Amino acid sequence: MVRRGRLRKQIVVIGQKNKGMAEFQVRTMADCMAAGETPEVLFWVGCAGSFDDRAKKITKAIAKILHKANVSFAILGSEESCTGDPAKRAGNEFLFQMMAMQNIEVMNAYEVKKIVTGCPHCFNTLKNEYPALGGNYEVLHHTQLIQDLIAQGKLSVEGGEFKGKKITFHDPCYLGRGNGEYEAPRVLIQKLDAELVEMKRCKTNGLCCGAGGAQMFKEAEKGNKEVNVERTEDALAIQPAVIATGCPFCNTMMTDGIKLADQSHVIAVKDIAELIAEAAEL
Amino acid sequence: MIAQLIFIALLGVGGFLAYKRFLFVKRNILMGRDVAMEGNAADRWNTMFRVALGQGKMFTRPIAAIFHLFLYLGFVIINIEVVEIILDGILGQHRLFHGIGGVYNLLIGAFEILAFLVIVGCVVFLIRRNVMKIARFHWREMTKWPKSDANIILITEIALMSAFLKMNAAESILAAHGVEHYVNMGNLPISQWIVPFLQGFSDGALVAIERFCWWFHIIGILAFIVYLSYSKHLHILLAFPNTYYSKLHPAGQLSNMSNVTNEVKLMMDPSAQVVEDPLAPKKFGAKDVEDLTWVQLLNAYSCTECGRCTSVCPANQTGKLLSPRKIMMDTRDRMEEVGKCKDAGLEYSDKSLLGDYITFEELWACTSCNACTEACPVNINPLDIIIDLRRYLMMEESQSPESITTMLTNIENNGAPWAFAQADRGNWTKE
Ligand code: SF4
Ligand code: SF4
């Protein structure tokens, strides 16, 4: 992927049924506007979700789930820009606010009310940091929306291929500690009839994957270990069949870690959305 | 009479020294810039009751929490006894409150049990620090002074509590011997076990012991109050305001820089209406303690140096230089330095928090994961300071790791941290 050169080539894509996006057309807000429609939900795809090959699979899974549940949604497509999260965390508030204001202008023009994101960083930024700049929306992480859809009976999931499998959830910092959401992803794992197992550091005490705070885009500072290796060891200690993630960056970090530990043939790293989509054979 | 005068003089000196130090600390905290308080007071009180008074966050580590609770309760409750001691000292009385009857004996009994628990707690903590050498007490920033500071406090508390118990034991024997003034407090739960050791002494010697312990106890407490202000033990007072002023919004949310907002608005639309924020700082980000907010500086004085933050920090746990505890200790040390320079009329701008205390390498190891803020038992936020220092590096000094500069350029040009064309963002829908 896009991170450290050293790791780039090692990234493998875990085998996944990918039926492609041929079955339905994901519309943009511009398409909808031209057709005189106002979609209920804006699906904020994010940069990784748009460009990273691995993350695109997560994006597609989310889109398929939304489609399956008959959610009226659209994306911004080429009108979407980075939320500015890595810029803000790197200390470049100027760039952050420029990105934010542009995005807010676009979203307000489309009268966006509700947003679902495929990435906890986008989620946090849109939900918490945009209001001060004039962007007020109801923002949900995809695991929260999927949980809602199931609760409302708009989507049903059964275990499918994950029934009885040992699945652990790696809490993304910006979903868990950052915004206090620990339950939605776990509820979804339980819906799969899977055996939810916790790593020794989980929930409030979960260990970062190492990508946050703009670390994803740089070499780590000098130390004696990579953070993702340390985190992967937590997962290896409980030997799950799947490490479930809720963030494209965590996904990369954990995939790298599992690959480095030469365990990718036994442990899969998958986003919750992928698990749900696969179980529902979408 | 002479004893009364000496007592009052001591009280005066102790009070004066403590007062001076507290003014110094207060002035240092207020060196920070002002900041608007969000949210309502009810939520703030709530946080304070839960986290500081209720020790809510301590219990994620139950063993430390239980022994800390002994010290905490001991500290709060035994201070009721100090009121009596002070009144006795000033008025030349002995056990002034004994008149209230049987309740008095019960109270003293309860204090004794607490005093005993405090001693147990202190011994356990000394063992954890010095014998078991628990890792978080021995990291790089735990140099000689922070280590001795912790030990001095623990040993002093043991000494003070022992004096209190011995004083009661001596009193019991003297009362039994019918010596004037001394009061019968019944069978006291802890000091009765000390009584046998003192039985052999003459009444004169016992009076001397009792008086010595009494003076030792009160002088010790006065000295302790003064010492407190030089020490990480300031947390026993500042934990309360610190939790009260801690942030109410989600941990993931970083502050909005209103001075940037106005510039960006004008950049995007030169005719935009902007409202000047009276609290907006002049600089972009923080270089030194005066650029931080007073809440951040209060944070630094409230730090107990417990290292819970550092022990969960992903950067620190993988051998990087960053330690959130050190961020707080550095901020405090620099604040004290600037404060002293100000008092002496000396120049202090030859050094700064950024660079001389906290380095580029430390700042850039942070993943902004909020593990430190979650772990801190008194709601300190090291991440906030890290981000403000990064902001200064980035916006005032244009310093950042090379790959970060590339990433930012990409965002600026392509709307994504990588060099992909924005027009291709929707391509996945067709793949
Ligand atoms: S936010 Fe930064 S300093 Fe705090 S624990 Fe995470 S990496 Fe360490
Ligand atoms: S910042 Fe909080 S957790 Fe860290 S050492 Fe200080 S008191 Fe302990």
Side-chain angles (χ1 to χ4, degrees), chain B residues 313-315 322 324 365-372 383 386:
Chain B
C313 172
L322 172 64
C366 174
T367 71
S368 76
C369 72
N370 269 305
C372 52
L383 174 58
I386 294 175

Side-chain angles (χ1 to χ4, degrees), chain B residues 169-224:
Chain B
E171 175 113 17
S172 306
I173 305 174
L174 289 166
H177 290 183
V179 179
E180 210 190 336
H181 289 321
Y182 289 97
V183 298
N184 187 349
M185 295 179 285
N187 228 356
L188 289 169
I190 306 293
S191 60
Q192 61 167 306
W193 303 102
I194 306 175
V195 167
F197 296 99
L198 299 180
Q199 283 297 12
F201 288 92
S202 69
D203 284 356
L206 287 172
V207 170
I209 289 173
E210 194 275 339
R211 283 292 90 192
F212 174 81
C213 289
W214 188 89
W215 283 97
F216 180 83
H217 189 65
I218 188 66
I219 293 173
I221 284 174
L222 285 173
F224 195 71

Side-chain angles (χ1 to χ4, degrees), chain B residues 255-269:
Chain B
S255 63
N256 187 63
M257 294 180 68
S258 56
N259 48 350
V260 172
T261 309
N262 284 348
E263 295 212 10
V264 174
K265 273 191 182 150
L266 288 171
M267 207 158 67
M268 290 174 74
D269 173 12

Side-chain angles (χ1 to χ4, degrees), chain A residues 2 46-47 56 80-82 88-90 93 97-98 124 129 174 177-178 208 212-213 215 217-218 224-225, chain B residues 251-252 254-257 261 267 318 320 364 366-370 390 394 403 415 418 422 425 429 431:
Chain A
V2 206
C47 299
K56 277 196 259 185
E80 186 187 282
S81 289
C82 175
K88 187 170 177 95
R89 271 137 197 95
E93 184 80 4
Q97 294 200 9
M98 272 164 54
N124 175 67
E129 291 165 358
Y174 277 86
R177 276 190 298 269
C208 177
Q215 291 295 330
F217 308 99
K218 63 188 275 290
N224 52 30
K225 208 179 203 179
Chain B
L254 295 182
S255 63
N256 187 63
M257 294 180 68
T261 309
M267 207 158 67
T318 53
K320 277 93 183 169
W364 272 103
C366 174
T367 71
S368 76
C369 72
N370 269 305
R390 272 197 195 179
M394 178 70 74
S403 45
W418 307 293
Q422 187 163 6
R425 271 189 106 96
T429 59
E431 287 166 3

Side-chain angles (χ1 to χ4, degrees), chain A residues 91-103:
Chain A
N92 195 333
E93 184 80 4
F94 274 99
L95 184 55
F96 162 71
Q97 294 200 9
M98 272 164 54
M99 302 313 291
M101 284 188 208
Q102 281 169 27
N103 284 323

